[in-house]
Amino acid sequence: MIIDLCIVNVFGNIELDRNKRKISVIIPAHNSAKTIVEALESIRNQTYRDWEIILINDGSSDETETIVKRYLENTPLPLKYHKQKQHNYLHAIKYGTKFVEGSIIFVLDADKVLFNRNVFYRAASTLYGEKCDGVFVGIRAMYQRLKDGKLHLIRPYYRNQISLVKTALGMGVNIYTNYAFWRREVFETSVRENYLVNGMPSWYDAQTNLGLRMVNGNFVGLKYRVVKKKKTADKQLNQDPLISLAAELRTLHHITSKIKIPFYRLQAAIYYVFNKCHIASLCPVIFEQGKTPLKEITPLIIENRFKNSKQPYLQTIVDFSTNYNSEKKIEVTIPKDLKVYHGADIEEFTQKFKQNKLAPFYGNLMKIISRGTSLYVANKQDQEKLAEILEFFTIRDYVKIVDK
């Protein structure tokens, strides 16, 4: 493999002659008229030639579509162009998966470019040279005229409970990244459910409460543009602080429902110091099998992270964690044709709440959740939808759903 990479680096434009796999690049583009051509050019120049582009115009109101069509007239590419009316980053990626033909999937934001001509070759070689589900890539800042800036190294990935505990001590914030090359079958199952539907880290599998089989690619894969007030490279969910906070709470609650973290506040404070000093991997942690009571963590996190502590969605979660009672029981019936919201829909949910356009069921359910109700009685045909709704409110693993 090393010899092959050296040949590619020297001569360029050499394809893999064995185990060749197509890479499907999904590009969600929202008002990307100024950057989309550079993103497409970085793909076109790859030495690895077996790829396709699925470009999703994600509710753009600028000239993104015009510029893409003009570019394709002069530079034909294997590109599938689709668009959705309403802007939603995760929905755009999920929509793009419908058109994938390759066995490797990579998501490239329209305001980023591939680091050099050999990114695809190195990613494919690593992915199929290792028994893994995905390959993390490094990210480098990019200033004016594409000049390289600060390198964001991906911390060493360990598929164990310690990584989960540190994610929990970091208040559910993604300690790795969502930028990775994926095996298609993993992307369309675990990554789709946990990341695209529920907004949690792409490397985390809530069903098993364990990380996926990831490896560090040990190469820089992306450059991102430095924008004022933008301090990190991974900002997909941060259009509204509530979006990222809801996803982090969901991740945190899944982890703490199966792992008991004693002295949470103290351990979180210690971990914060280690993380600030860039030595988080050396931070000792104490944990055991069991559940961490939400009243010890959730109110603290929401108070520290969100200024509007009385926001109805968050207040419902805080009240549940404070009033939790394992004996509180309620019978629930799901109305026919009820729209079920998921983590990626939090913005739509809150907007409809403000506009008083939510189905009355949700208002009633939020009151039930706020009372700390932990046992829900429902018909079999309602149980799956109810589970999805309780997942949306981040408490699925802290409640039970039983038959009538």
Side-chain angles (χ1 to χ4, degrees):
M1 184 187 298
I2 295 176
I3 295 176
D4 288 343
L5 288 175
C6 290
I7 294 174
V8 169
N9 286 330
V10 174
F11 296 103
N13 202 29
I14 297 177
E15 299 178 347
L16 293 177
D17 58 351
R18 291 186 301 172
N19 296 324
K20 188 176 175 182
R21 299 290 191 275
K22 177 180 283 188
I23 298 176
S24 294
V25 186
I26 300 175
I27 303 180
H30 175 70
N31 290 343
S32 305
K34 295 181 180 180
T35 62
I36 187 61
V37 170
E38 288 176 354
L40 294 175
E41 280 287 289
S42 74
I43 299 173
R44 186 175 74 88
N45 292 329
Q46 288 298 298
T47 55
Y48 186 90
R49 307 306 302 168
D50 193 8
W51 46 261
E52 65 172 355
I53 300 170
I54 298 98
L55 195 156
I56 308 299
N57 187 336
D58 180 26
S60 296
S61 57
D62 67 354
E63 296 181 342
T64 296
E65 180 171 317
T66 301
I67 289 175
V68 168
K69 290 183 176 180
R70 188 184 304 156
Y71 173 81
L72 293 175
E73 288 175 359
N74 300 307
T75 313
L77 293 177
L79 185 148
K80 304 170 186 176
Y81 177 84
H82 300 274
K83 57 183 177 180
Q84 61 179 21
K85 293 183 179 180
Q86 187 174 1
H87 170 46
N88 186 302
Y89 178 84
L90 295 179
H91 282 321
I93 299 172
K94 185 169 62 173
Y95 181 51
T97 60
K98 296 179 181 180
F99 311 103
V100 164
E101 293 182 3
S103 57
I104 301 173
I105 295 180
F106 180 68
V107 177
L108 176 65
D109 294 347
D111 63 344
K112 298 176 178 62
V113 297
L114 297 170
F115 181 70
N116 59 30
R117 301 176 67 225
N118 298 322
V119 172
F120 282 1
Y121 187 94
R122 299 190 71 176
S125 299
T126 303
L127 189 60
Y128 283 93
E130 301 275 355
K131 293 182 179 180
C132 63
D133 297 322
V135 178
F136 288 129
V137 297
I139 309 164
R140 186 183 286 278
M142 181 173 66
Y143 297 98
Q144 293 180 352
R145 299 180 183 177
L146 307 186
K147 183 179 179 181
D148 289 351
K150 181 180 178 181
L151 174 63
H152 294 265
L153 294 174
I154 306 303
R155 68 175 68 188
Y157 176 80
Y158 299 102
R159 189 175 184 245
N160 55 30
Q161 287 191 321
I162 293 177
S163 293
L164 299 183
V165 172
K166 290 182 177 180
T167 300
L169 292 175
M171 301 185 182
V173 174
N174 189 355
I175 64 174
Y176 297 109
T177 179
N178 289 320
Y179 296 116
F181 286 81
W182 300 95
R183 292 180 184 270
R184 177 177 176 175
E185 60 271 23
V186 175
F187 192 91
E188 292 181 337
T189 52
S190 179
V191 176
R192 183 185 187 280
E193 176 68 20
N194 293 288
Y195 177 48
L196 301 182
V197 174
N198 287 311
M200 294 181 288
S202 59
W203 54 269
Y204 174 64
D205 185 355
Q207 287 69 36
T208 61
N209 196 41
L210 193 62
L212 296 173
R213 298 177 303 170
M214 306 296 296
V215 298
N216 289 86
N218 295 321
F219 61 91
V220 181
L222 291 175
K223 293 180 184 180
Y224 76 96
R225 286 171 172 76
V226 175
V227 180
K228 291 181 179 180
K229 297 182 181 180
K230 188 173 182 178
K231 298 181 179 180
T232 65
D234 200 0
K235 291 286 184 181
Q236 299 103 320
L237 297 176
N238 289 342
Q239 299 98 331
D240 182 330
L242 176 61
I243 298 175
S244 56
L245 178 54
E248 289 155 12
L249 285 173
R250 189 171 297 106
T251 304
L252 174 70
H253 291 174
H254 274 296
I255 294 172
T256 56
S257 70
K258 297 179 178 66
I259 301 176
K260 186 175 182 179
I261 307 175
F263 313 109
Y264 179 86
R265 294 193 182 196
L266 176 60
Q267 290 204 69
I270 294 172
Y271 176 76
Y272 175 82
V273 173
F274 273 74
N275 197 36
K276 276 292 184 180
C277 296
H278 304 288
I279 53 173
S281 60
L282 300 179
C283 181
V285 295
I286 303 171
F287 64 95
E288 60 185 335
Q289 300 307 307
K291 280 190 177 184
T292 306
L294 292 185
K295 64 180 180 180
E296 297 180 7
I297 55 177
T298 305
L300 168 70
I301 290 171
I302 293 178
E303 181 181 346
N304 288 343
R305 295 286 308 282
F306 202 78
K307 293 181 180 179
N308 182 13
S309 60
K310 298 298 182 182
Q311 197 280 339
Y313 172 84
L314 293 179
Q315 189 60 48
T316 298
I317 299 172
V318 169
D319 290 343
F320 174 83
S321 63
T322 303
N323 300 323
Y324 177 80
N325 187 322
S326 60
E327 297 180 357
K328 282 187 179 180
K329 182 178 179 180
I330 191 71
E331 184 174 314
V332 177
T333 300
I334 306 293
K336 291 182 179 179
D337 301 322
L338 178 75
K339 177 177 174 58
V340 175
Y341 293 92
H342 300 95
D345 305 317
I346 182 65
E347 198 168 18
E348 178 186 351
F349 178 89
T350 54
Q351 286 177 352
K352 287 193 174 183
F353 186 93
K354 290 178 182 177
Q355 297 166 355
N356 199 29
K357 292 182 179 180
L358 277 179
F361 171 84
Y362 282 105
N364 295 329
L365 182 65
M366 290 169 73
K367 293 177 182 178
I368 293 170
I369 293 173
S370 294
R371 292 196 288 267
T373 308
S374 62
L375 186 59
Y376 293 78
V377 183
N379 291 322
K380 286 186 177 180
Q381 63 267 27
D382 289 341
Q383 290 180 16
E384 185 175 346
K385 282 188 176 181
L386 180 58
E388 292 180 62
I389 294 168
L390 294 174
E391 175 75 10
F392 172 72
F393 284 99
T394 80
I395 63 170
R396 174 64 186 92
D397 283 353
Y398 278 83
V399 302
K400 290 183 180 181
I401 301 174
V402 298
D403 291 335
K404 281 188 177 180

